[in-house]
């Protein structure tokens, strides 16, 4: 029995919460312990950690994380960092050890800027939109399998942002994903008002228009509570994008099916960048990643597998700015 199968066997599904075309199924577990780490927001606010470019010239797929805190710091897959030379998102979840400096794998979500606005990064208070997280997750898994690296396919990340921005009729002078969140702030706030954590909730599975899209699961209810606003915005931006589609009736069966697919999935294990081990998940119609530390599943994220034309628009109409973007990639 895999660690994920064992962990998911302890999970029950709580009462669904619905806001417009987005549904959250709370994932519950009795007896969760207090986390042995700080979250990224807390560590930066307490000024015991900092995120910077790796050097004065910088490197698109890596940032430097310095942890001077008295405990580890958890950086969540898809969290967005703003500032420095360009905005980035975390390629996977990292548990950064106390008292050490490490390089963390990231992807750029602002193709049109490569100049410093600040010496250090701050957190944006959101995660990358869930369809983009799903695609990136599969890319990082393939990178680990084939090359032993944790890189995304950066041009695809940019393309998906471009396609989504066009569909949502949002423009940005630097092609930043942030513009979509800013332009839809009122709607996102409305979605945020529709979801609350339940007692013993350690995770959340989201469905859009009646179809399961993905879930995040943590080792502690307190972590889930703090991260919920970021996750709601991640899935809500896709819900807004897909609001014109005909929704199906929300059914718990879709949540059961996704959890079962995760239980039945193949697991690959790699030494992590920081503490613990990276888990990569491949199953029937799903992709995902997780972080295991001291036999404890700290974080697990699973998504419905990206499919051609699924939430990204027609690839024949894809707007590609690869020639302009490659100059950012080589820095």
């Amino acid at each position: 029995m895999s660690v994920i199968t064992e962990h998911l066997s302890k999970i029950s599904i709580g009462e669904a919460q619905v806001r417009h075309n987005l549904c959250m199924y709370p994932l519950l577990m009795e007896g969760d312990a207090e986390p042995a780490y700080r979250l990224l927001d807390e560590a930066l606010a307490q000024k015991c950690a900092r995120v910077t470019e790796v050097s004065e010239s910088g490197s698109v797929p890596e940032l430097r994380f310095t942890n001077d805190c008295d405990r580890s710091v958890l950086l969540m897959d898809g969290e967005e960092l703003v500032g420095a030379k360009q905005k980035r998102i975390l390629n996977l979840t990292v548990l950064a050890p106390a008292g050490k400096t490490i390089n963390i794998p990231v992807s750029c979500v602002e193709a049109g800027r490569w100049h410093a606005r600040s010496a250090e990064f701050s957190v944006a208070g959101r995660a990358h939109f869930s369809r983009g997280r799903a695609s990136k997750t599969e890319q990082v898994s393939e990178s680990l399998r084939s090359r032993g690296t944790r890189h995304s396919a950066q041009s695809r990340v940019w393309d998906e942002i471009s396609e989504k921005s066009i569909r949502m009729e949002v423009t940005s002078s630097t092609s930043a994903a942030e513009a979509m969140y800013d332009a839809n702030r009122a709607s996102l706030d409305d979605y945020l008002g529709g979801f609350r954590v339940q007692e013993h909730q350690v995770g959340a599975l989201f469905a859009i228009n009646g179809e399961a899209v993905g879930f995040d699961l943590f080792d502690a209810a307190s972590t889930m509570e703090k991260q919920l606003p970021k996750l709601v915005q991640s899935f809500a931006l896709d819900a807004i994008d897909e609001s014109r589609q005909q929704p199906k009736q929300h059914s718990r069966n879709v949540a059961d099916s996704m959890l079962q697919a995760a239980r039945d999935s193949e697991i690959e294990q790699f030494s992590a960048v920081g503490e613990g081990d990276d888990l990569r998940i491949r199953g029937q119609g799903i992709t995902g990643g997780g972080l295991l530390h001291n036999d404890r599943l700290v974080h697990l994220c699973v998504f419905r597998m990206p499919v051609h034309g699924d939430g990204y628009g027609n690839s024949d109409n894809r707007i590609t700015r690869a020639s302009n973007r490659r100059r950012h990639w080589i820095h």
Side-chain angles (χ1 to χ4, degrees), residues 45-170:
Q46 294 167 10
K47 300 188 183 303
C48 61
R50 61 188 183 276
V51 187
T52 62
E53 300 288 356
V54 295
S55 64
E56 185 175 347
S57 59
S59 173
V60 172
E62 285 188 316
L63 295 176
R64 180 160 296 163
F65 185 78
T66 301
N67 182 7
D68 293 326
C69 305
D70 59 357
R71 61 173 64 183
S72 302
V73 174
L74 185 70
L75 297 83
M76 184 183 73
D77 175 282
E79 275 190 297
E80 185 172 341
L81 297 159
V82 298
K85 289 181 178 291
Q86 59 185 192
K87 299 177 177 71
R88 318 288 226 288
I89 56 169
L90 268 293
N91 277 1
L92 74 178
T93 296
V94 174
L95 190 62
K100 291 188 178 180
T101 295
I102 61 173
N103 286 356
I104 55 175
V106 294
S107 297
C108 170
V109 289
E110 186 183 21
R113 178 172 71 93
W114 187 253
H115 61 269
R117 289 182 177 170
S118 62
E120 298 182 9
F121 286 87
S122 59
V123 287
R126 61 177 172 266
H128 197 49
F129 56 89
S130 62
R131 301 291 193 187
R133 285 182 70 199
S135 181
K136 172 195 60 63
T137 295
E138 183 64 11
Q139 295 160 27
V140 171
S141 293
E142 179 56 33
S143 175
L144 266 168
R145 294 182 194 115
S146 61
R147 300 181 297 278
T149 63
R150 293 165 173 82
H151 292 164
S152 68
Q154 182 61 70
S155 62
R156 284 181 58 190
V157 174
W158 280 324
D159 285 343
E160 288 160 7
I161 293 169
S162 293
E163 293 164 13
K164 194 175 192 70
S165 297
I166 291 168
R167 288 197 308 273
M168 301 186 79
E169 300 180 343
V170 175

Side-chain angles (χ1 to χ4, degrees), residues 90-279:
L90 268 293
N91 277 1
L92 74 178
T93 296
V94 174
L95 190 62
K100 291 188 178 180
T101 295
I102 61 173
N103 286 356
I104 55 175
V106 294
S107 297
C108 170
V109 289
E110 186 183 21
R113 178 172 71 93
W114 187 253
H115 61 269
R117 289 182 177 170
S118 62
E120 298 182 9
F121 286 87
S122 59
V123 287
R126 61 177 172 266
H128 197 49
F129 56 89
S130 62
R131 301 291 193 187
R133 285 182 70 199
S135 181
K136 172 195 60 63
T137 295
E138 183 64 11
Q139 295 160 27
V140 171
S141 293
E142 179 56 33
S143 175
L144 266 168
R145 294 182 194 115
S146 61
R147 300 181 297 278
T149 63
R150 293 165 173 82
H151 292 164
S152 68
Q154 182 61 70
S155 62
R156 284 181 58 190
V157 174
W158 280 324
D159 285 343
E160 288 160 7
I161 293 169
S162 293
E163 293 164 13
K164 194 175 192 70
S165 297
I166 291 168
R167 288 197 308 273
M168 301 186 79
E169 300 180 343
V170 175
T171 59
S172 164
S173 61
T174 60
S175 301
E178 179 183 53
M180 291 184 284
Y181 295 87
D182 291 344
N184 291 278
R185 188 71 266 157
S187 295
L188 289 171
D189 287 343
D190 182 42
Y191 277 100
L192 280 167
F195 301 99
R196 296 288 184 272
V197 293
Q198 296 184 14
E199 189 176 7
H200 303 303
Q201 183 175 347
V202 293
L205 188 151
F206 290 91
I208 297 175
N209 296 329
E211 297 287 348
V213 178
F215 69 85
D216 284 83
L217 186 64
F218 300 96
D219 63 340
S222 59
T223 301
M224 177 68 236
E225 183 174 11
K226 292 170 183 175
Q227 299 293 59
L228 180 62
K230 296 179 184 180
L231 298 176
V232 169
Q233 292 181 83
S234 170
F235 288 91
L237 192 70
D238 286 328
I240 295 168
D241 185 16
E242 299 168 34
S243 60
R244 295 186 183 90
Q245 298 179 14
Q246 184 65 36
K248 299 179 182 178
Q249 185 174 3
H250 291 289
S251 169
R252 175 173 161 155
N253 290 339
V254 300
D256 288 328
S257 295
M258 176 163 265
L259 290 176
Q260 186 59 51
R263 284 192 286 267
D264 295 340
S265 62
E266 298 178 13
I267 310 299
E268 296 171 282
Q269 191 164 328
F270 304 85
S271 295
V273 170
E275 297 179 295
D277 292 288
D278 291 330
L279 305 180

